Amino acid sequence: MAGLLEGRNALVMGARNKWSIAWEIAERFAGQGARVALTYQGEREENVVRELADKINATMTPCDVTDSDQMESAFRRIGQEFGTLDILVHAIAHAKREELAGSYSDTSRDGFAMAQNISVYSLVEAARLAAPLMTNGGSIQTLTYLGAERVVQNYNVMGVAKAALEASVRYLANDLGPKNIRVNALSAGPVKTLAARGISDFDVVLQAVAAKAPLRRNVNQSDVADVALFLASDLSRAVTGETLHVDNGYNIMGL
Ligand code: NAD
């Protein structure tokens, strides 16, 4: 049977190491027949990301999302290499470590702006640059977390950024729908990655979720990559503007 993404071109932004959610997503897409391009933040990540690129025969381009020139040149290069783009995965977020602990009311002005710039505006700019390449329609997806909807201890400024990210998904879905480009967010349960390690007491969150989620376990990168595959494929052709929880049901629980 042909892969679900046979003949599709996919850009995956945000693979940094083998624990990255984007890493597993890129592997899953390639395994289902997609031609994959990777962007990575900078020189520090290059050698590690090359391992993934070699494994799945992907191209790789540096792209610090705070720099519009780098964003434009990354998408230009992808346009030259691929001609058209079908799938974009945005798996990028960052906040100052000191803002991921204590009180949200202590958030600094520049810490707030940085979290929004890297974690939210980058999706807006990426969608704008991807859309002209998605001449056959397309699927754009980003990664979010329950801290957008509920108060999660220490998630603070990133919870507010994720709320803006989820709202951006709805606005982008409305903008790009007439071009048959779908835009969705995948709300993953907590997974131990480098980004997650920056959040104070993250292990406590993992334990609480495993104890309370209806399926009584935590998700892993593979659980998330399977749903990312669904969102990237035609199986989700009528789904857009959605925030889809992949969290073993944790989000439905009250007291
Ligand atoms: P990760 O640390 O592996 O990935 C974060 C990525 O963001 C890295 O590749 C990093 O290089 C990139 N990044 C940060 N600043 C950047 C910049 N200026 N320019 C370009 N890239 C930059 O961690 P992850 O957990 O795989 O995170 C991927 C996404 O999943 C994030 O949006 C995160 O918020 C989201 N998410 C994670 C969890 C979790 O528990 N790990 C849960 C839900 C959602």
Side-chain angles (χ1 to χ4, degrees), residues 89-105:
V89 175
H90 170 275
I92 289 174
H94 184 71
K96 291 182 179 184
R97 201 183 178 97
E98 64 267 26
E99 315 257 18
L100 298 173
S103 300
Y104 174 61
S105 56

Side-chain angles (χ1 to χ4, degrees), residues 5 7 11 25 57 60 71-72 80 97 99 133 135 141 153 164 174 179 182 192 197 205 214 218 226 234 239 247:
L5 303 182
L11 170 60
I25 291 174
N57 203 17
M60 51 188 279
M71 287 283 273
E72 280 165 22
Q80 284 159 358
R97 201 183 178 97
E99 315 257 18
L133 300 174
T135 50
Q141 60 181 290
Q153 244 9 279
N174 179 55
K179 297 184 167 130
R182 301 181 293 105
K192 222 171 194 167
R197 278 167 204 265
V205 174
N218 280 296
D226 279 342
D234 290 343
V239 181
D247 65 351

Side-chain angles (χ1 to χ4, degrees), residues 19-210:
W19 293 281
S20 295
I21 293 171
W23 188 286
E24 186 98 15
I25 291 174
E27 286 191 316
R28 185 71 85 265
F29 286 4
Q32 289 290 321
R35 194 154 62 132
V36 177
L38 305 166
T39 63
Y40 59 97
Q41 189 172 352
E43 258 172 42
R44 214 177 34 169
E45 289 76 26
E46 185 172 350
N47 283 340
V48 180
V49 176
R50 191 175 304 286
E51 272 175 46
L52 173 63
D54 288 348
K55 191 171 170 193
I56 63 172
N57 203 17
T59 59
M60 51 188 279
T61 311
C63 181
D64 184 323
V65 297
T66 59
D67 181 342
S68 288
D69 289 344
Q70 286 193 36
M71 287 283 273
E72 280 165 22
S73 81
F75 278 86
R76 202 177 313 118
R77 191 168 158 204
I78 283 147
Q80 284 159 358
E81 274 165 14
F82 282 174
T84 58
L85 187 65
D86 304 292
I87 298 156
L88 169 65
V89 175
H90 170 275
I92 289 174
H94 184 71
K96 291 182 179 184
R97 201 183 178 97
E98 64 267 26
E99 315 257 18
L100 298 173
S103 300
Y104 174 61
S105 56
D106 288 334
T107 303
S108 65
R109 189 182 296 273
D110 65 321
F112 185 92
M114 177 197 268
Q116 292 280 335
N117 187 21
I118 297 177
S119 318
V120 187
Y121 186 71
S122 58
L123 173 70
V124 179
E125 188 162 51
R128 184 168 65 245
L129 293 167
L133 300 174
M134 292 184 157
T135 50
N136 304 314
S139 167
I140 297 174
Q141 60 181 290
T142 186
L143 273 293
T144 186
Y145 178 58
L146 187 64
E149 305 163 57
R150 312 259 179 89
V151 174
V152 174
Q153 244 9 279
N154 298 322
Y155 202 58
N156 298 349
V157 71
M158 190 52 72
V160 175
K162 292 300 192 192
L165 183 74
E166 292 177 15
S168 295
V169 161
R170 291 186 284 273
Y171 279 92
L172 290 169
N174 179 55
D175 281 351
L176 300 177
K179 297 184 167 130
N180 196 28
I181 298 171
R182 301 181 293 105
V183 188
N184 291 291
L186 192 164
S187 184
V191 184
K192 222 171 194 167
T193 62
L194 209 59
R197 278 167 204 265
I199 302 160
S200 240
D201 295 331
F202 186 71
D203 283 339
V204 175
V205 174
L206 284 173
Q207 282 165 21
V209 169

